[in-house]
């Protein structure tokens, strides 16, 4: 089976790996300094936000949607994914007693597919009017 690195999903995964790599590095660094994993997860989420938005918009989804529309939807999607991610980390760490890094990786495994579907169909849909069409 050949994997098409140029497919939208593979570009999304590439952006996500880069962004989450940054977030995971921040997360683990903050945990090592003594911050609770839930707070470290929250703070680790933000360094990657701007980069992930721009890379997803311009490269992964190649969207022409106006920033004022796409950014609001992207922020709402990201906020929902973040809330779910923190809940997963909280439950696994506080109730189950799993190592923080495993909690975070599990949370990512839960949230990545949800994030892709919402970005593909609501934030950066294929059949959206371009900025040129909306200003005509």
């Amino acid at each position: 089976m050949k994997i098409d690195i140029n497919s939208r999903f593979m570009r999304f995964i590439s952006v996500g790996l880069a962004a989450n790599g940054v977030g995971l590095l921040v997360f683990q660094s903050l945990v090592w300094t003594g911050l609770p994993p839930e707070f470290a997860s929250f703070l680790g989420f933000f360094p990657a936000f701007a980069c992930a938005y721009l890379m997803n918009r311009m490269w992964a989804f190649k969207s022409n949607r106006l920033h004022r529309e796409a950014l609001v939807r992207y922020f709402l999607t990201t906020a929902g994914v973040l809330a779910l991610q923190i809940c997963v980390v909280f439950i696994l760490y506080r109730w189950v007693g799993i190592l923080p890094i495993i909690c975070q990786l599990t949370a990512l495994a839960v949230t990545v597919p949800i994030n892709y579907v919402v970005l593909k169909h609501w934030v950066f849909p294929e059949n959206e009017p371009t900025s040129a069409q909306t200003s005509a």
Side-chain angles (χ1 to χ4, degrees):
M1 177 171 70
K2 184 178 177 184
I3 297 175
D4 180 9
I5 193 67
N6 291 317
S7 75
R8 180 186 302 192
F9 182 72
M10 291 306 296
R11 291 189 309 261
F12 167 79
I13 292 298
S14 298
V15 169
L17 286 172
N20 281 295
V22 169
L24 196 56
L25 180 64
V26 171
F27 167 81
Q28 191 60 44
S29 298
L30 293 173
V31 167
W32 283 336
T33 67
L35 282 178
E38 303 89 351
F39 191 57
S41 180
F42 176 77
L43 292 177
F45 195 82
F46 290 99
F49 178 84
C51 179
Y53 167 73
L54 291 172
M55 288 177 64
N56 273 314
R57 183 179 183 272
M58 294 186 308
W59 183 60
F61 294 94
K62 298 181 180 178
S63 176
N64 292 322
R65 176 168 267 177
L66 297 172
H67 282 292
R68 68 176 177 252
E69 297 168 1
L71 187 56
V72 169
R73 289 180 181 214
Y74 192 86
F75 176 79
L76 292 173
T77 301
T78 300
V81 168
L82 174 59
L84 178 58
Q85 179 178 316
I86 292 170
C87 288
V88 171
V89 168
F90 177 84
I91 290 167
L92 293 177
Y93 182 72
R94 299 290 177 192
W95 296 355
V96 181
I98 297 174
L99 290 172
I101 192 71
I102 303 300
C103 297
Q104 183 71 1
L105 291 172
T106 303
L108 292 174
V110 169
T111 58
V112 166
I114 295 167
N115 194 24
Y116 176 75
V117 169
V118 176
L119 291 180
K120 180 180 178 184
H121 294 290
W122 188 57
V123 179
F124 304 120
E126 287 186 70
N127 296 326
E128 64 189 339
T130 65
S131 50
Q133 290 171 328
T134 57
S135 61

